[in-house]
Amino acid sequence: MYRFLSVGLAVLLSACVPTTELPGPEQTPRTTGPMPSPAVQRQFVQVVNRIEPIAEQLCRETTRGVNCDIQIVVDTRPDLPPNAFQTLDESGRPIVGFTLALIADARNADELAFVMGHETAHHIAGHIPRQEQSAMAGAMMGAVLASMSGADEAGIAQARDAGAVLAVRNYSKDFELEADALGTQIAWAAGYDPVRGAQFFNRLPDPGDRFLGSHPPNAQRIALVQKTVARLEAGQ
């Protein structure tokens, strides 16, 4: 089970939510790290209070039949590496989660706002259901091809699983770039500097441009944020 802090309540309260994470950056094991200072905790809550209503309003304006009541939570386990994710709870309510390490490692409110905008954008863009659809289509295709080639039941199952993974990987980079662009708009509308916020990419291992990698190169993501901000500044 996961222990979460609900920002809408009090710092370090616990709740349990089932999670299905979008593919995130590869993380290395981390021992227990420092807790975010009281000042950093207050900064995080301030960012939540500005980003959440902007994201929910954009969700309501651009989607139909989607739950736009976004809940932002913190996984309070101190041994987790810096990470943020978007998921849905059992009722379909969107959850955006942060680990304590990510909050502590953020260098300014702009970084927190950009990451928060990015994760809420995953929900607004419908990336979880789109991933599920891609996985189902890939699994079906893999099973059909394996069956046509004469594979046995075990071989068909293996091909089905491989097809699902490949299908999700095929779209994951596009999803990340979509979330970067939309997250930039959210952070900008909330009064933050997304270009400054996106500088946290410079502290992440660069995934490069691997075939079927889950994330685009860091330089590509920063360039997209800069281009999006330029359009916003031009009123486009």
Side-chain angles (χ1 to χ4, degrees):
M1 299 294 286
Y2 287 90
R3 296 175 60 241
F4 289 100
L5 151 73
S6 175
V7 174
L9 299 176
V11 175
L12 303 183
L13 289 179
S14 298
C16 293
V17 182
T19 65
T20 305
E21 295 187 23
L22 289 169
E26 294 179 1
Q27 304 286 357
T28 55
R30 177 188 177 98
T31 57
T32 300
M35 289 282 292
S37 68
V40 171
Q41 292 181 34
R42 288 193 296 271
Q43 175 180 255
F44 181 79
V45 173
Q46 290 169 357
V47 172
V48 170
N49 289 337
R50 289 169 62 177
I51 291 290
E52 185 177 309
I54 296 293
E56 290 181 342
Q57 179 181 354
L58 182 62
C59 179
R60 289 191 293 268
E61 291 175 349
T62 59
T63 65
R64 298 185 63 182
V66 173
N67 188 335
C68 294
D69 183 17
I70 298 171
Q71 182 181 19
I72 299 175
V73 299
V74 178
D75 189 323
T76 62
R77 293 176 296 171
D79 59 335
L80 294 179
N83 195 24
F85 59 89
Q86 185 264 314
T87 187
L88 302 171
D89 69 11
E90 291 178 336
S91 68
R93 183 181 183 182
I95 305 294
V96 169
F98 286 76
T99 62
L100 291 171
L102 188 147
I103 297 171
D105 287 353
R107 293 184 176 176
N108 50 65
D110 295 305
E111 290 189 356
L112 287 172
F114 178 76
V115 174
M116 203 173 294
H118 173 95
E119 297 302 335
T120 59
H122 274 307
H123 175 66
I124 296 169
H127 287 163
I128 286 181
R130 289 166 63 186
Q131 276 191 326
E132 291 173 347
Q133 292 169 5
S134 297
M136 290 177 62
M140 183 177 296
M141 180 62 69
V144 168
L145 292 176
S147 178
M148 292 175 61
S149 67
D152 58 15
E153 185 174 342
I156 292 174
Q158 185 176 11
R160 182 180 61 243
D161 293 343
V165 171
L166 289 174
V168 169
R169 289 284 185 175
N170 188 47
Y171 290 101
S172 59
K173 288 183 181 180
D174 291 341
F175 288 170
E176 291 302 316
L177 292 174
E178 285 181 12
D180 286 341
L182 187 55
T184 296
Q185 296 177 46
I186 293 169
W188 172 272
Y192 292 99
D193 182 350
V195 173
R196 185 171 184 241
Q199 293 307 304
F200 84 94
F201 284 130
N202 289 321
R203 303 198 303 277
L204 295 179
D206 194 339
D209 194 16
R210 295 176 299 166
F211 176 65
L212 292 179
S214 64
H215 283 62
N218 292 341
Q220 182 182 5
R221 303 181 74 174
I222 292 172
L224 175 62
V225 172
Q226 293 170 336
K227 185 181 298 184
T228 303
V229 168
R231 288 200 300 268
L232 292 170
E233 290 176 335
Q236 299 177 359

